[in-house]
């Protein structure tokens, strides 16, 4: 049984790194020895894809023996952010000679096929970590980029109608980061899409205050409130009939707008409220405008329906 509470309805747990083709490189791929003949391939060419640290050393060098296990440990823990290539200067003196290496241990970072930075001496582990952060970016930068890419992929799947695929990705993210507000909102949207409204509300219950206040989470909670309200508003066909008899039945039109909104017909929902605004701003103390603003919060500022309705609303307000 999956231990992912968010994936049980959608076919189980997915490993986050799996969608990126297997995660970090094996440790053996991160550290290697090189030669003069292979330096261009192992360092210059490789550094066009990720930073490469070159450790210039010699067997007789005591500080080199102190540095190597420390730098190898840090590189392995960097999970693929950098590679380490070691060059014995006794066996291969031409490269360090060309680079002006005059004392060892010396470490030079190559980026994009060129030397970018370096340090000399058996420096402490903390300084090596700072050096790698400077060359490759902070340790969490890649993780943040991966999370953003997964969120974008899940959103694309959801919008394409692949609710199960989107839920798998959101569930994987929540397995790694249970308080990720965007993933929480996303998994709740998936639950709403398959009619699991109570589960969606439960997924967003008892969250830390900062997470609950996130716009993505509050928008989904507001959407659940709108769905719950719409269930109590009556038969849309009867409301349509009431409007056919009396187009100025603003109460019926307001109810119908709320129903069309939860049905997903955003244009119809907005048009009903805009018509009320145009005919009677005093109805429910400008209630149509306030309701439309509530719709915008759920739809999001960049949704085409939001943009179109805002334009129409402005023309009514400022005409």
């Amino acid at each position: 049984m999956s231990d992912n509470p968010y994936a049980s309805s959608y076919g189980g747990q997915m490993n986050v790194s799996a969608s990126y083709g297997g995660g970090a490189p094996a440790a053996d791929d991160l550290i290697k020895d090189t030669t003069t003949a292979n330096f261009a391939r192992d360092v210059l060419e490789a550094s066009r894809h990720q930073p490469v640290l070159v450790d210039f050393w010699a067997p007789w060098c005591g500080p080199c023996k102190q540095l190597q296990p420390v730098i190898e440990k840090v590189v392995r823990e960097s999970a693929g952010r950098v590679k380490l290539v070691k060059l014995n200067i006794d066996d291969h003196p031409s490269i360090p000679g060309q680079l002006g290496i005059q004392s060892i241990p010396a470490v030079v970072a190559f980026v994009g096929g060129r030397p970018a930075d370096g340090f000399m001496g058996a420096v402490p582990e903390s300084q090596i970590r700072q050096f790698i952060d400077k060359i490759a970016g902070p340790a969490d930068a890649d993780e943040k980029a991966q999370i953003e890419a997964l969120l974008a992929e899940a959103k694309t799947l959801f919008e394409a109608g692949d609710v199960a695929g989107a839920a798998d990705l959101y569930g994987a993210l929540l397995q790694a980061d249970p308080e990720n507000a965007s993933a929480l909102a996303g998994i709740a949207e998936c639950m709403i899409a398959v009619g699991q409204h109570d589960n969606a509300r439960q997924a967003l219950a008892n969250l830390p205050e900062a997470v609950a206040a996130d716009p993505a989470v509050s928008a989904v909670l507001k959407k659940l409130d709108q769905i719950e309200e719409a269930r109590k508003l009556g038969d849309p066909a009867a409301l349509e009939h009431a409007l056919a008899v009396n187009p100025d039945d603003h109460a019926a039109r307001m109810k119908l707008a709320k129903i069309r909104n939860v049905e997903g017909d955003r244009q119809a929902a907005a048009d009903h409220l805009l018509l009320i605004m145009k005919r009677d701003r005093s109805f429910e103390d400008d209630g149509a405008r306030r309701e439309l603003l509530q719709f915008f919060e759920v739809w999001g500022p960049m949704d085409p329906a939001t943009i179109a309705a805002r334009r129409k609303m402005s023309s009514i307000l400022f005409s």
Side-chain angles (χ1 to χ4, degrees):
M1 176 181 287
S2 167
D3 59 355
N4 183 352
Y6 301 101
S8 58
S9 301
Y10 303 97
Q13 175 182 341
M14 175 181 289
N15 184 287
V16 175
S17 62
S19 63
Y20 280 83
D28 291 345
D29 296 331
L30 298 176
I31 300 171
K32 67 189 302 183
D33 292 286
T34 193
T35 63
T36 302
N38 293 334
F39 190 86
R41 181 195 66 195
D42 293 341
V43 177
L44 302 184
E45 182 60 33
S47 72
R48 299 185 188 280
H49 306 286
Q50 71 184 119
V52 177
L53 310 185
V54 182
D55 175 18
F56 296 96
W57 70 287
W60 47 263
C61 170
C64 296
K65 295 177 182 178
Q66 294 175 355
L67 176 67
Q68 281 196 353
V70 179
I71 194 170
E72 288 180 10
K73 172 178 179 285
V74 175
V75 167
R76 287 191 180 97
E77 292 175 355
S78 73
R81 293 163 58 219
V82 297
K83 286 186 175 181
L84 176 66
V85 173
K86 298 180 288 185
L87 183 72
N88 183 335
I89 67 168
D90 283 355
D91 294 341
H92 306 281
S94 62
I95 299 293
Q98 293 171 20
L99 293 173
I101 303 296
Q102 297 180 342
S103 64
I104 54 173
V107 175
V108 178
F110 283 75
V111 179
R114 297 176 178 275
D117 204 347
F119 64 84
M120 299 177 65
V123 303
E125 180 176 327
S126 60
Q127 190 170 331
I128 297 172
R129 292 187 186 280
Q130 291 172 2
F131 180 75
I132 290 176
D133 285 348
K134 180 181 177 183
I135 293 297
D140 63 350
D142 288 343
E143 181 181 353
K144 288 180 179 178
Q146 185 183 35
I147 288 173
E148 289 303 317
L150 279 172
L151 287 170
E153 184 179 350
K155 182 180 179 182
T156 299
L157 289 172
F158 182 82
E159 291 175 348
D162 186 357
V163 178
D168 278 339
L169 287 184
Y170 286 130
L173 281 163
L174 289 168
Q175 196 72 18
D177 181 8
E179 294 183 1
N180 185 295
S182 296
L184 282 164
I187 200 77
E189 286 279 18
C190 291
M191 292 172 179
I192 292 171
V194 295
Q196 298 179 6
H197 300 148
D198 291 341
N199 289 346
R201 196 175 287 280
Q202 184 178 355
L204 302 181
N206 303 316
L207 296 176
E209 186 176 345
V211 180
D214 186 273
V217 172
S218 60
V220 177
L221 286 170
K222 192 160 292 183
K223 182 175 185 177
L224 285 166
D225 290 341
Q226 291 172 351
I227 292 170
E228 189 172 325
E229 181 187 10
R231 287 173 172 173
K232 306 171 184 176
L233 295 178
D235 179 10
L239 294 170
E240 290 277 14
H241 177 71
L243 288 174
V245 173
N246 178 15
D248 288 328
D249 185 346
H250 300 324
R253 193 176 295 281
M254 178 83 83
K255 291 178 181 179
L256 191 57
K258 293 177 180 180
I259 292 172
R260 296 302 181 224
N261 173 49
V262 300
E263 289 176 344
D265 191 346
R266 293 178 175 179
Q267 181 178 338
D271 286 346
H272 280 303
L273 295 178
L274 290 165
L275 185 56
I276 296 173
M277 286 180 60
K278 191 172 183 179
R279 292 185 176 180
D280 187 359
R281 293 285 304 282
S282 67
F283 174 72
E284 291 190 1
D285 192 21
D286 207 10
R289 183 185 64 83
R290 289 185 285 107
E291 190 65 38
L292 190 54
L293 293 177
Q294 296 284 327
F295 288 180
F296 293 164
E297 286 188 39
V298 174
W299 299 349
M302 301 311 295
D303 188 278
T306 300
I307 294 170
R310 277 196 184 280
R311 189 179 301 116
K312 293 176 182 178
M313 184 172 69
S314 296
S315 68
I316 294 172
L317 294 175
F318 301 109
S319 60

